[in-house]
Amino acid sequence: MDGKDQQQITVDIAPTSSHKRLISPNQEPQPRLEQFRRGWENALALPDNLTDLLFDITASIAVPALIASCWSSLPIPYFIRIGGVVALAVAGLFLWQLLELPAVRGILIFRLALFTLGVILGL
């Protein structure tokens, strides 16, 4: 390449300490608990696209079925089985707390039903 085809690009980056989050005048900052609730609502919501919805439902059944099948048929060491039971207990306590949010209760119960169906099919 010769020197005529090359361009020099200079980018100036301002110091990060001077950046502040700007909030528009008509938008009030949400409390952290409300942000937490909205985040879980968005995370647990079903996809809008039919293809993604079918994949999500199938994965919600197939993955627990695969894990349950491996759990019951493979010779897994005792300490790993204990760790799995402890992990399920912690996840159960977490889900119990999430069931207190009315906006996610319906979809969470649906997802738990899919998970339970997968476990039953895997055994």
Side-chain angles (χ1 to χ4, degrees), residues 68-96:
S69 176
C70 290
W71 184 272
S72 63
S73 63
L74 293 178
I76 300 174
Y78 187 71
F79 69 93
I80 293 178
R81 289 185 185 267
I82 293 294
V85 169
V86 169
L88 282 175
V90 170
L93 291 173
F94 184 70
L95 289 174
W96 187 269

Side-chain angles (χ1 to χ4, degrees), residues 105-116:
R105 184 175 296 138
I107 191 67
L108 190 59
I109 289 173
F110 176 69
R111 288 188 179 271
L112 286 173
L114 291 176
F115 178 82
T116 305

Side-chain angles (χ1 to χ4, degrees), residues 29-46:
Q30 294 180 344
R32 294 189 60 79
L33 182 59
E34 188 63 29
Q35 289 176 351
F36 176 78
R37 287 180 181 167
R38 294 279 181 231
W40 277 107
E41 288 174 17
N42 292 337
L44 292 174
L46 291 174

Side-chain angles (χ1 to χ4, degrees), residues 6-120:
Q6 296 179 356
Q7 292 181 345
Q8 183 177 3
I9 299 173
T10 306
V11 178
D12 293 328
I13 300 175
T16 58
S17 62
S18 65
H19 289 300
K20 293 187 178 179
R21 188 174 173 190
L22 299 176
I23 298 174
S24 61
N26 58 359
Q27 180 185 6
E28 297 177 11
Q30 294 180 344
R32 294 189 60 79
L33 182 59
E34 188 63 29
Q35 289 176 351
F36 176 78
R37 287 180 181 167
R38 294 279 181 231
W40 277 107
E41 288 174 17
N42 292 337
L44 292 174
L46 291 174
D48 296 331
N49 185 351
L50 180 63
T51 308
D52 291 340
L53 177 66
L54 291 175
F55 176 78
D56 189 56
I57 290 173
T58 304
S60 296
I61 296 172
V63 171
L66 177 65
I67 293 171
S69 176
C70 290
W71 184 272
S72 63
S73 63
L74 293 178
I76 300 174
Y78 187 71
F79 69 93
I80 293 178
R81 289 185 185 267
I82 293 294
V85 169
V86 169
L88 282 175
V90 170
L93 291 173
F94 184 70
L95 289 174
W96 187 269
Q97 292 298 316
L98 278 179
L99 284 172
E100 297 298 320
L101 300 174
V104 297
R105 184 175 296 138
I107 191 67
L108 190 59
I109 289 173
F110 176 69
R111 288 188 179 271
L112 286 173
L114 291 176
F115 178 82
T116 305
L117 177 65
V119 169
I120 290 171

